[in-house]
Amino acid sequence: AAILDKVIEKEIETVTVMSQPLFETDTELNKGMQPIDKSVFSMSQREAETHQANLQHLCRLCGGSFKTDPYKRSHPVHGPVDDETQALLRKKEKKATSWPDLLAKIFKIDVKGDIDTIHPTKFCHQCWTVVQKKLNNSPCEMFFQRKSPVEWHPHSSSCDVCGTSLRGVKRKRQVLNPQLSKKLRMVSGRARKIRQIRNPKQVIQKSLMKMSASCKKIHLSTKILAVDYPADFVKSISCQICEHILADPVETTCKHLFCRVCILKCLKIVGSYCPACRYPCFPTELVTPVKSFLNILNSLPVICPVKDCQEEVCLGKYCHHLSRHKEVEDKEGYVYINKGGRPRQ
């Protein structure tokens, strides 16, 4: 038993002697690893800061760099709308007080959930011009030919933002819309060419458009207006194709007003341009005028053209007034004979 106790004590001593250098090497390795982890963390933090700084020089919508603009103009993505845009919104009777709401309506993008480390916080002046053009219903595809804004991703080893911060994020090449390319050719070819002298060809073309409309039975003449308005005012409320009072009016991109039926027939027969100024126009670009103009149009007093009536009614209530005449005519159209009891029209 004494011999066994001595052997066990020797083994314990050898185990303790062997374990001491192992623990010492582990602690030395841990001490060496700590500064390495700190340096890696500081490098990643530095890269994130430079990435966020590069984002401040890029546009949130198109990905372009503010450094290319000589005036260094930019607008905040979050915040209230500037005074010029607010005045334009008030003029167009549209409600939007902040940039996130306006960008969501025009570019179909939600910027309320943006993160500062991933998304830029400003957009360039060129995109601001696109917003103005969209609000004015003007063709702006030549300024912003992208179907959707740039997609932003977190910082990585192959980061496009850090590599192209001076020139902006590279855009993906997209397939051109054939209708859009046709429109651009038409714009570059014959846009804004207003002829001051009316030649015989234009007179013949206008008469052809009038004949193609053929809406005498549908639309009302300007002669039934109850008030003798100035000629310019009468021209502003009348269609420039049929020269009748506007019925279901639509507005083109060049700010001319037509009856919906007349302009659609004219575009189908004559071609895809405005009959008034020959500016390129497509059926998909027709919009309804502002509400204040429609209120003025519907409040115009007109005289009922039915015989023995001559009642003065508003243009907005004219259809209801005419329907009453038709009801009376339907009732008086059938006369009952006492003998046979059969109706006679």
Side-chain angles (χ1 to χ4, degrees), residues 97-122:
T97 55
S98 61
W99 280 117
D101 298 335
L102 194 58
L103 295 176
K105 287 182 180 179
I106 293 175
F107 295 102
K108 303 293 185 294
I109 181 172
D110 186 15
V111 297
K112 293 181 179 179
D114 285 1
I115 305 170
D116 294 343
T117 56
I118 300 174
H119 303 90
T121 57
K122 297 178 182 178

Side-chain angles (χ1 to χ4, degrees), residues 122-165:
K122 297 178 182 178
F123 63 97
C124 63
H125 189 72
Q126 189 173 0
C127 294
W128 180 86
T129 309
V130 173
V131 173
Q132 303 288 319
K133 294 279 184 182
K134 286 275 189 181
L135 292 176
N136 281 319
N137 298 323
S138 300
C140 56
E141 289 87 356
M142 60 186 71
F143 299 103
F144 195 81
Q145 297 185 7
R146 308 188 82 252
K147 292 183 179 179
S148 60
V150 178
E151 293 182 1
W152 300 94
H153 303 284
H155 178 66
S156 60
S157 58
S158 60
C159 183
D160 295 332
V161 174
C162 298
T164 59
S165 61

